[in-house]
Amino acid sequence: MSDHLMKTYARLPVAFVRGEGAWLYDEDGTRYLDAISGIAVCSLGHADPVLADALCDQARTLIHTANLGHIRLQERLAERLCTITGMDRAFITNTGAEAIETVLKLARRFGFERGIEQPKILVVEGAFHGRTLGAISASAPGKLQHGFAPLVDGFVRVPYGDADAARAALAGDPSIVAMLLEPIQGEGGVKRPPDGYLTALRRACDEHRALLMVDEIQTGLCRTGRWYAHQHEPDCRPDVLASAKALGNGVPVAACLARGAAAEVLTPGSHGTTYGGNPLACRAALTVLDRMEALDLNARAETMGARLVERLRERLAGCERVVEIRGRGLMIGVELADPAGDVRDHALKQHVLINVTHERVIRLLPPLIIDADQARTIADAVADGVLGR
Ligand SMILES: *Cc1c(COP(=O)(O)O)cnc(C)c1O
């Protein structure tokens, strides 16, 4: 235990020093099955050899120049992400919160250019968008915001999953220039909105000339069985998209993508970053995208997710402690009727690493490369914990 780290985390009593695929090893060499991937980051698993080789090669070639000259790897990454999403332009950042800050600034600038002096952004209840002041202001009130007033102004909040409420808010306030939301809420408890929600929001935003902006930081990059989770629904291509987490498999790299008029509002001098989009980070992201495609991780997330959920349902059928088992692909939540901390501790004793969010929701975000045996081991560790075995 360090006396010199700020006490921002209640940490598990374990220190990992090495990884391989879906396995993590602690200081004593004990092996753990990772069912959280560093919070949806290490989707390729740990120590992926192709990524490791690419990083070594890039480190020996060029790590950083700042955005002073052209960065060919950054151009290639932007093009690749735009092809995957149907967007026009990218701004490459280091973290999810920075990508969200870019999203928020872009929306304000978009409103400003339309003559709206105090543009507002519509957000939803239960949201999590990161830890910067702008991001916590856009997120759900509560412990994220507690003690950090004055927050950033200009957010209007409506219930999640309720397209009519969003439409009414947009219709009632012409200063709302954009709506920001997660296609599935991660930190908010793996909450999945009703089918058709995003398509309805797309239409509502079109009617009111507002931008539809999706935070796909957790849901993106094959996690739910699509490159990005909004792609499950037809006709809901967003105007702005934030991506991070799995993009570098642990190397910090993130992106704000935009299309149409939204892609043109940030101009020279209006926004920037020192590290963002450096050659090392972009090489990592390009390699990750190649690996995801080569390993067909969308298909794998769907099949392994289905197996994991099937096993959970089988083992937990009739269990009164379970409120709901839900999710999409390998983004899975098991909501309990009471706090789930004991389940996490129980799984850790069985050497399976899981996570609890929103107090009562067991969250599973295993590497997308898991096999059927590993999916079963994860489900059994959760079920044993829930059933108190
Ligand atoms: C993790 C996360 C963020 C913040 O990303 P950081 O890299 O931690 O800044 C924002 N939005 C969502 C949905 C996330 O899951």
Side-chain angles (χ1 to χ4, degrees):
M1 208 81 75
S2 169
D3 290 332
H4 301 291
L5 287 170
M6 290 195 190
K7 299 171 187 168
T8 47
Y9 293 101
R11 296 174 194 267
L12 297 173
V14 62
F16 298 113
V17 293
R18 186 167 75 79
E20 191 182 346
W23 300 103
L24 283 167
Y25 295 83
D26 71 8
E27 291 165 308
D28 305 324
T30 304
R31 187 172 87 157
Y32 293 74
L33 184 55
D34 185 1
I36 187 70
S37 314
I39 317 187
V41 168
C42 301
S43 288
L44 299 178
H46 302 283
D48 179 79
V50 176
L51 178 60
D53 284 347
L55 290 174
C56 290
D57 179 61
Q58 193 60 45
R60 283 194 213 94
T61 308
L62 186 65
I63 292 181
H64 177 83
T65 59
N67 288 289
L68 300 172
H70 297 282
I71 300 175
R72 299 300 174 211
L73 285 163
Q74 190 183 109
E75 292 166 4
R76 275 173 55 197
L77 176 59
E79 184 185 346
R80 187 80 195 280
L81 288 170
C82 286
T83 303
I84 288 170
T85 56
M87 298 283 136
D88 293 327
R89 293 186 192 277
F91 182 82
I92 309 295
T93 69
N94 309 289
T95 66
E98 283 171 88
I100 290 295
E101 288 295 324
T102 307
V103 166
L104 301 176
K105 285 177 71 177
L106 185 157
R108 282 192 171 185
R109 191 71 173 239
F110 176 84
F112 173 80
E113 289 194 350
R114 271 152 190 70
I116 299 168
E117 274 179 25
Q118 301 281 318
K120 292 184 200 141
I121 298 170
L122 193 60
V123 292
V124 295
E125 289 170 7
F128 178 80
H129 297 298
R131 299 289 194 157
T132 58
L133 266 179
I136 63 170
S137 304
S139 301
K143 67 173 192 268
L144 288 176
Q145 297 183 352
H146 179 73
F148 296 119
L151 295 173
V152 175
D153 219 352
F155 295 101
V156 176
R157 203 165 276 110
V158 289
Y160 186 62
D162 184 345
D164 290 338
R167 193 179 298 109
L170 287 164
D173 187 345
S175 68
I176 298 175
V177 296
M179 176 167 191
L180 171 66
L181 77 160
E182 301 152 84
I184 297 172
Q185 289 186 333
E187 306 304 306
V190 194
K191 287 208 183 102
R192 207 178 136 171
D195 287 341
Y197 178 53
L198 284 179
T199 308
L201 294 181
R202 177 68 276 176
R203 235 174 275 132
C205 285
D206 284 341
E207 277 163 30
H208 298 282
R209 296 180 64 223
L211 301 175
L212 179 62
M213 314 196 295
V214 291
D215 177 347
E216 292 250 24
I217 289 170
Q218 194 161 143
T219 49
L221 298 163
C222 309
R223 175 58 54 188
T224 72
R226 295 288 183 277
W227 277 115
Y228 288 95
H230 75 269
Q231 294 169 338
H232 284 286
E233 280 193 33
D235 310 322
C236 67
R237 189 158 49 121
D239 301 291
V240 181
L241 183 155
S243 186
K245 289 205 162 97
L247 188 55
N249 210 60
V251 175
V253 56
C256 166
L257 304 166
R259 70 182 172 100
E264 310 299 330
V265 296
L266 295 178
T267 48
S270 66
H271 195 49
T273 165
T274 301
Y275 288 141
N278 76 30
L280 184 73
C282 293
R283 179 79 181 267
L286 282 162
T287 308
V288 166
L289 295 171
D290 283 347
R291 289 291 275 157
M292 287 180 158
E293 199 159 36
L295 297 168
D296 201 3
L297 291 190
N298 278 321
R300 211 174 171 93
E302 284 202 318
T303 51
M304 290 304 145
R307 273 173 184 266
L308 213 165
V309 166
E310 190 186 344
R311 181 69 179 166
L312 283 170
R313 291 198 201 286
E314 189 183 307
R315 289 285 318 274
L316 294 171
C319 173
E320 282 183 9
R321 211 181 159 192
V322 176
V323 175
E324 193 182 26
I325 299 169
R326 58 180 177 244
R328 199 153 210 175
L330 279 170
M331 182 172 187
I332 297 165
V334 180
E335 182 178 340
L336 301 185
D338 59 342
D342 63 307
V343 181
R344 177 195 53 221
D345 298 343
H346 191 283
L348 189 66
K349 282 195 196 117
Q350 293 192 7
H351 302 147
V352 176
L353 197 63
I354 64 170
N355 175 252
V356 170
T357 186
H358 226 245
E359 258 223 308
R360 294 187 295 105
V361 182
I362 298 157
R363 179 171 50 166
L364 304 175
L365 298 162
L368 304 181
I369 46 114
I370 56 165
D371 61 25
D373 281 348
Q374 290 168 333
R376 189 184 170 101
T377 303
I378 293 165
D380 284 341
V382 171
D384 288 347
V386 172
L387 299 168
R389 291 191 186 145

